[in-house]
Amino acid sequence: MERALEHDLIVSIGDNILSPLGIGTEETYHAVNAGYSALQQYEGLWGIPEPFIASLLDHKAIARMLDDKFPTKSFAAYTSFERMAILSAAYALEQADVDPVSERVVFFLSTTKGNVGLLDKENSCREEISLGYSARQICGFFRNPNAPVVVTNACTSGSCAQIAAMRALQSGRCDTAVVIGADVQSKFIVSGFQSFKALSSDPCRPFDKSRSGLNLGEAAATIVYSRRRPKDVHADDWVLCRGAIRNDANHISGPSRTGEGSYLALQAVLQDDCPIDRLAFVNTHGTATPYNDEMEAIAIDRAGLLSVPVNGLKGYFGHTMGAAGVLESILSMQAAANHTIPGTRGYSECGVSRPLQLSASHQVTGRRSFVKLLSGFGGCNAALLFRQGDELC
């Protein structure tokens, strides 16, 4: 590159959410702001004998939208997972006014399970189940000449993908990064979580005393990032300032009881240039499982953030796995831009050992920075710091 890039900022220039609460970022945000939830009980779905609560997409509607948007294209060779990722990316690229054919554009796919549901089919092809295969299908649809980057690190995948994109932009590898987070549910996934006894028989209640487990969800979400000089960042632009990944190496399916990994990730992104009193909120992972919520509460306390409002979004659309970090980052940007601290749906009485600043209802804020926190199986943890352009002036 002809000039140094270390002082450039990583700015969101387009985004999209496809969720059971809405087709598009604004529609989904307004549904959350109105307090709606897409969680509902399913009985007998996919031949699963035990009822479960989840938030599922209308994949027939997504197929129709793709046909309407790309009438000359055939989507017969694409799975439901690939179709929703393509549609979300297409809307985000359109908003960002980016040509995906450019060699200076790189795609990043965040997912935990991809097409694993194909294992239920007798004649499934091993290649089609590969996450790399799906990423090439999605990237190929847009005729992008670069190899896509697949990021799969349990529930932190969406944040890890954004960090990977940030690093690619900062290094000069690309000028634009398209980060897609997506996952679909299936008999394989639901049965797996049921075997862990991790699913709640009621809508989930993050951080609440009566919480009893998580609900699963489906979504696709996309953020398009670009590199800009500080003088070219506008007051209402959202900047991804820092990201950190830390592993506490506690257990394959259990978080550290001391919140070590999440604390270290928070410590890494919170530095002197963003005082705690400038944070609007910490958007947590908030799965509503006993150990995860407690671990995050301890980490938030250890990081000195007990005075900062905390919220979790799983009560609106469940745990969307590989989409969670991208979807919840976008919704948090929308909320902060609208002077809002989202309420934690399902929360009533504190059920963790630390006095977090939680509320079931939305609150008003004038602050323009927030932290996104995620944790997942294998002891992985990630944190992101977002600030709006006027906060950087």
Side-chain angles (χ1 to χ4, degrees), residues 59-303:
H59 290 282
K60 291 183 179 178
I62 288 174
R64 290 194 296 270
M65 283 186 281
L66 275 172
D67 289 337
D68 290 342
K69 190 167 185 61
F70 302 102
T72 63
K73 301 271 190 178
S74 171
F75 291 92
Y78 299 92
T79 64
S80 293
F81 165 69
E82 292 153 5
R83 289 171 187 170
M84 69 191 211
I86 288 170
L87 186 60
S88 177
Y91 285 137
L93 285 162
E94 189 173 68
Q95 183 187 98
D97 193 23
V98 168
D99 181 3
V101 178
S102 169
E103 63 180 12
R104 300 298 298 164
V105 176
V106 174
F107 281 71
F108 295 78
L109 176 64
S110 160
T111 185
T112 64
K113 298 296 186 289
N115 282 323
V116 74
L118 294 179
L119 289 172
D120 294 337
K121 299 183 178 181
E122 292 182 8
N123 298 316
S124 63
C125 171
R126 183 173 297 274
E127 183 187 25
E128 292 172 349
I129 300 172
S130 156
L131 300 181
Y133 176 86
S134 292
R136 290 190 296 274
Q137 285 281 90
I138 295 163
C139 191
F141 175 84
F142 293 102
R143 296 185 296 116
N144 182 268
N146 298 309
V149 178
V150 177
V151 179
T152 179
N153 191 15
C155 304
T156 65
S157 299
S159 290
C160 293
Q162 293 181 70
I163 292 170
M166 178 172 61
R167 291 171 178 169
L169 287 161
Q170 289 172 333
S171 71
R173 177 184 171 187
C174 60
D175 296 327
T176 304
V178 183
V179 183
I180 308 167
D183 262 312
V184 293
Q185 299 301 327
S186 65
K187 180 179 181 179
F188 181 93
I189 298 170
V190 175
S191 298
F193 275 92
Q194 285 179 333
S195 71
F196 274 131
K197 305 297 182 184
L199 297 186
S200 172
S201 58
D202 299 304
C204 65
R205 308 185 69 175
F207 299 99
D208 189 74
K209 184 177 180 180
S210 301
R211 70 189 186 280
S212 59
L214 60 83
N215 308 131
L216 294 169
E218 293 182 331
T222 304
I223 302 178
V224 181
Y225 284 114
S226 180
R227 188 180 58 248
R228 285 187 183 171
R229 299 183 184 187
K231 68 181 182 65
D232 296 325
V233 174
H234 302 128
D236 58 351
D237 285 336
W238 278 103
V239 178
L240 175 54
C241 295
R242 277 187 291 274
I245 304 166
R246 299 291 185 270
N247 195 300
D248 58 43
N250 181 69
H251 188 271
I252 188 64
S253 63
S256 164
R257 301 297 187 266
T258 64
E260 190 69 17
S262 289
Y263 160 66
L264 291 173
L266 286 170
Q267 188 181 52
V269 300
L270 293 173
Q271 298 177 16
D272 292 341
D273 63 339
C274 185
I276 288 171
D277 61 8
R278 302 291 291 274
L279 292 176
F281 53 80
V282 176
N283 176 243
T284 64
H285 194 37
T287 60
T289 54
Y291 291 133
N292 181 88
D293 289 5
E294 175 67 9
M295 176 275 292
E296 285 193 290
I298 293 171
I300 288 167
D301 182 11
R302 290 182 65 189

Side-chain angles (χ1 to χ4, degrees), residues 335-359:
N338 284 281
H339 310 283
T340 300
I341 302 168
T344 301
R345 197 178 196 281
Y347 175 79
S348 178
E349 182 180 358
C350 186
V352 291
S353 64
R354 311 303 162 97
L356 300 183
Q357 302 298 314
L358 287 153
S359 174

